[in-house]
Amino acid sequence: MGPGSTIDGPDGLVTEGIAADMKTKPDRTGLPDGLGVSARLDGGSPLPELTAMVNAVCEEVADLRARTVVVLRFPPAPAQPREWPGEVSIQEVNRWERAVRRLERLDVVNIAVAEGTCGGPVLDLLLAADFRIGTPDLTLMLPVNDGHFWPGMSLYRLVHHIGLARARRLVLWGTDIPVAEATDLGIIDQVSDDLTEAVHAAAVLRGRLSDHETRIRRRLLEEAASAEYDDALGAHLAACDRELRRLRTVRGPTADGPTTPEAEAAG
């Protein structure tokens, strides 16, 4: 793997290599209650290695039974080239996009942390995250090749996140995005110079939401941007029905009487 593209190993040790990363139990040190998967991704690493890293994180989370959070850290890379993704095949691009989508659809809250100057795949992963933290010196380098914005799915996500007009400005005329503009656009949710405290607070507050319902809420939000009201209504009612059933299970019988579907039907 490229330098920095690692999953934290037990007791703070770092294991290099794709195969080793997939077998290494990530370090949960510093995450609330010892619950969470943390990974550092170097945006300058080759695309296949980054794809393997994202898939390794997803596999690690799938093996966990308790609620958890995923924390993706993007260290600064001042020497990182602007061009993205470099000399790759369309099959490698497809595998990368599938890995990002897999991360985006996990039943856990995904927190992204970026600092310094970041480029390459960082925009893809920031836009796929549930909560994004940046440092005051953060600058996002847009993925540009020979003056043209890379036409990957970050372009699609930009439109959904910030709207067509602002996305058009970035894609056709944009340069680097400083942290103030990234915050204004909603690409960054929180700016902090104390990343340890910011990650801790975010994991405590948002880790409680990590379950299957989180994925359902994400999907409803995505569909709301394009679906007609009548088409969306059925999906929202189904989600409401699942939530009511879940709450009855959590709360149990109430003073108002039985809460089983049979009892309600009889009433």
Side-chain angles (χ1 to χ4, degrees):
M1 276 199 170
S5 293
T6 58
I7 292 181
D8 296 341
D11 302 321
L13 298 177
V14 175
T15 303
E16 296 289 346
I18 296 174
D21 282 337
M22 288 186 176
K23 298 177 182 178
T24 301
K25 183 178 180 181
D27 178 24
R28 294 174 179 79
T29 303
L31 296 181
D33 302 320
L35 189 63
V37 175
S38 177
R40 294 189 298 272
L41 284 82
D42 175 9
S45 297
L47 184 62
E49 294 186 8
L50 289 168
T51 301
M53 171 58 68
V54 173
N55 279 322
V57 171
C58 295
E59 290 165 12
E60 183 70 27
V61 171
D63 291 337
L64 300 176
R65 296 293 178 264
R67 290 187 177 187
T68 188
V69 297
V70 169
V71 177
L72 299 180
R73 300 175 182 269
F74 310 111
Q80 186 179 117
R82 175 179 295 279
E83 290 76 17
W84 166 258
E87 294 291 333
V88 297
S89 67
I90 191 60
Q91 290 79 14
E92 289 172 326
V93 173
N94 184 36
R95 285 191 284 270
W96 165 253
E97 295 292 3
R98 289 179 179 274
V100 176
R101 183 59 170 165
R102 182 183 180 187
L103 179 75
E104 191 175 38
R105 302 184 75 178
L106 290 174
D107 289 349
V108 303
V109 171
N110 174 6
I111 301 171
V113 184
E115 54 184 308
T117 300
C118 296
V122 177
L123 182 62
D124 278 347
L125 294 170
L126 281 175
L127 293 174
D130 296 307
F131 191 72
R132 299 165 288 266
I133 303 171
T135 53
D137 64 341
L138 174 65
T139 298
L140 298 176
M141 291 195 304
L142 297 180
V144 174
N145 297 280
D146 192 27
H148 295 288
F149 193 98
W150 170 248
M153 290 303 288
S154 60
L155 200 159
Y156 174 88
R157 291 187 177 92
L158 271 175
V159 174
H160 278 260
H161 274 72
I162 67 177
L164 176 58
R166 294 201 287 183
R168 180 191 293 115
R169 176 168 56 85
L170 286 179
V171 171
L172 297 182
W173 313 110
T175 54
D176 297 342
I177 307 177
V179 68
E181 183 178 1
T183 304
D184 179 62
L185 291 171
I187 297 174
I188 293 297
D189 298 305
Q190 178 183 352
V191 178
S192 176
D193 54 9
D194 187 343
L195 293 182
T196 300
E197 176 60 28
V199 170
H200 179 92
V204 168
L205 293 174
R206 290 161 181 83
R208 301 167 186 165
L209 304 177
S210 286
D211 57 25
H212 182 66
E213 294 301 317
T214 294
R215 179 160 60 88
I216 293 174
R217 301 304 188 275
R218 286 199 206 101
R219 190 189 68 200
L220 293 174
L221 286 168
E222 291 171 1
E223 294 175 351
S226 58
E228 295 292 335
Y229 178 89
D230 290 337
D231 294 333
L233 180 59
H236 281 262
L237 287 177
C240 290
D241 182 57
R242 284 191 299 271
E243 180 69 359
L244 290 173
R245 292 174 183 273
R246 184 185 72 82
L247 292 174
R248 284 197 292 266
T249 300
V250 171
R251 295 169 181 168
T254 65
D256 295 330
T259 58
T260 63
E262 292 80 4
E264 291 179 351

